[in-house]
Amino acid sequence: MDIVILDLEWNGSYSKKVHHYVNEIIEFGAVKVNDKLEVIDTFSVLVKPVIGKKLSSHIAALTHISNEELFEKGVSFENATRAFGEFAGESVILTWGTSDILTLMDNFNFYNGDSEIPFLKSYLNLQEYCEYMLDVHNPAAQLGLLNCAEMLGIESTEDELHRAYTDALLSLECLKKLYSKKKFAGYISDADDEFYRRITFKNKLITDINNPLIDKSKLYFICEDCGIRVEQLTRFKVKNKNFVAKFRCPKCRKVFNGRISMRLKFDGVSIKKRAYENDPPQIPDDDD
C-alpha cells in the first residue's frame, strides 16, 4: 500500500460564473511513500488561476508566490489534476484536516460540474489520526500542523510553512513519529458515496432542549468526589449554545454549575459535559 500526502495552496476569488467566492487552487504539493514511510516520489506544480487574475496580498505574503511566477510557470487545473492522478495512482491520499479535500471538491465542481475527485480511491485525515495518537482533541481548536510538529520535537518555523510541498513534507515527519501500521489502517476510508456524504456533512450544535434527537436520560452529572448522581437544582438555560444548570450532590452537598454541549454529527448526537464551581467560562461559537 502506497501513501500520498497532499497539500494545497489556494486563493479566494469571487466568481461571476457561480456568484460566490471560490478557493481557487494555485499549488499542489505531495510526497509518495510506501508502507514503511520510505519516500518513493514527490510532486509539485503551480496552477494558473482563471477566476482570480491577481493573488490577494495576504496569500502572496503567506506563500511567497508571485503573480508573475504563477502565470509563467503555472499549468491549467485540468493538466495539474491529470498529472497528480497519474502520480497518485491507487495510493491512499492523506491531507492535514479536510479543508484541502473539500477545496479540491469545490474546484472540480467549478471546472467540471461534479464534486467527485476521480483519482481519490481511499482517504485518511492525517490531522484526526495525529490527534488520536497524541490523545489531544479540542472541538473548538483543532490541532495545527506546526503545533503537532512542536509537540513531537520536529523543528520547523512559520516562515517555512504555507508552500504545498513543504507542508506535505512536514506532515510526513509528523506521521513518522506517530505511525502504527495497524492503527493507521483503521483510519482509512474508501472514497465511496458515504464518504462524500460524511465529509460534506455540517456538524451543528443543538440549542433546543426539546429537540427530539436529544436523549434526555443522559442529561445528568456525577459528583467527582462521591461518584454518585447529583440533583439538578435549576432548569437548563442556553448560554453560548450550550445548556447550563445548577446541580448539588446529595452526599457532600457540593453545589456546582454543569455545562452540556450537544452536537449533531453524521453518526448522531455527541454529548460533552463540564462541571464548574462558578459560572462556566465563555467559549466561542463553532457550528462548523
Side-chain angles (χ1 to χ4, degrees):
M1 175 188 69
D2 291 340
I3 298 165
V4 168
I5 301 177
L6 169 67
D7 191 88
L8 304 171
E9 301 298 335
W10 60 76
N11 183 53
S13 302
Y14 185 80
S15 167
K16 294 181 179 179
K17 173 183 174 181
V18 294
H19 306 294
H20 60 73
Y21 277 88
V22 176
N23 288 324
E24 187 174 17
I25 295 171
I26 57 172
E27 186 178 34
F28 281 74
V31 57
K32 179 190 281 190
V33 299
N34 58 25
D35 60 1
K36 295 180 181 178
L37 304 189
E38 299 168 330
V39 175
I40 300 171
D41 202 355
T42 61
F43 184 89
S44 180
V45 66
L46 292 173
V47 183
K48 188 180 299 184
V50 298
I51 305 173
K53 300 301 182 182
K54 183 178 180 182
L55 292 179
S56 73
S57 56
H58 171 70
I59 295 300
L62 196 65
T63 62
H64 304 293
I65 298 173
S66 68
N67 284 288
E68 292 75 18
E69 182 183 15
L70 200 57
F71 282 93
E72 287 176 7
K73 300 180 179 180
V75 302
S76 68
F77 178 79
E78 291 84 354
N79 286 339
T81 52
R82 186 183 302 111
F84 180 78
E86 293 173 358
F87 164 82
E90 299 296 316
S91 303
V92 179
I93 294 179
L94 282 59
T95 61
W96 189 269
T98 58
S99 296
D100 282 348
I101 286 295
L102 290 170
T103 298
L104 192 54
M105 289 170 60
D106 285 344
N107 278 247
F108 267 105
N109 188 52
F110 175 82
Y111 284 100
N112 304 327
D114 187 350
S115 296
E116 186 171 325
I117 301 170
F119 50 75
L120 185 64
K121 310 302 181 184
S122 51
Y123 172 76
L124 184 143
N125 180 345
L126 185 55
Q127 179 188 59
E128 185 179 50
Y129 173 78
C130 289
E131 287 177 339
Y132 166 76
M133 295 299 290
L134 289 167
D135 194 25
V136 293
H137 182 61
N138 181 354
Q142 293 179 319
L143 181 65
L145 178 56
L146 183 57
N147 289 338
C148 183
E150 290 174 350
M151 292 176 68
L152 296 171
I154 301 169
E155 293 187 5
S156 185
T157 65
E158 187 72 29
D159 291 340
E160 295 173 332
L161 297 179
H162 309 302
R163 286 302 296 262
Y165 179 63
T166 303
D167 286 1
L169 287 179
L170 183 57
S171 297
L172 173 59
E173 292 305 310
C174 291
L175 176 59
K176 286 180 177 179
K177 294 280 188 177
L178 298 171
Y179 187 57
S180 164
K181 193 172 182 179
K182 183 177 180 180
K183 293 178 180 178
F184 181 86
Y187 271 76
I188 298 173
S189 300
D190 291 332
D192 52 16
D193 290 342
E194 182 180 353
F195 164 81
Y196 282 100
R197 289 194 298 269
R198 181 185 295 273
I199 201 169
T200 56
F201 186 86
K202 298 293 185 182
N203 294 344
K204 183 178 181 180
L205 283 168
I206 298 175
T207 57
D208 180 5
I209 196 68
N210 295 313
N211 190 307
L213 295 174
I214 295 176
D215 182 354
K216 292 187 178 181
S217 68
K218 296 181 179 180
L219 305 185
Y220 65 86
F221 279 84
I222 300 295
C223 178
E224 295 179 355
D225 298 325
C226 304
I228 63 173
R229 186 165 174 164
V230 301
E231 304 167 339
Q232 184 172 339
L233 301 179
T234 63
R235 290 185 175 184
F236 280 109
K237 293 183 178 180
V238 178
K239 285 188 177 182
N240 250 16
K241 298 187 178 181
N242 293 265
F243 299 105
V244 178
K246 194 174 291 294
F247 296 85
R248 179 177 59 202
C249 176
K251 185 176 180 180
C252 67
R253 312 303 291 175
K254 181 176 71 174
V255 176
F256 63 91
N257 290 290
R259 186 191 78 198
I260 299 178
S261 64
M262 283 170 282
R263 186 178 295 276
L264 178 61
K265 298 184 175 182
F266 182 83
D267 296 319
V269 177
S270 68
I271 299 178
K272 294 186 181 296
K273 303 177 183 180
R274 291 287 302 274
Y276 301 91
E277 292 185 7
N278 301 310
D279 288 338
Q282 296 293 305
I283 60 172
D285 296 341
D286 67 326
D287 289 338
D288 297 334

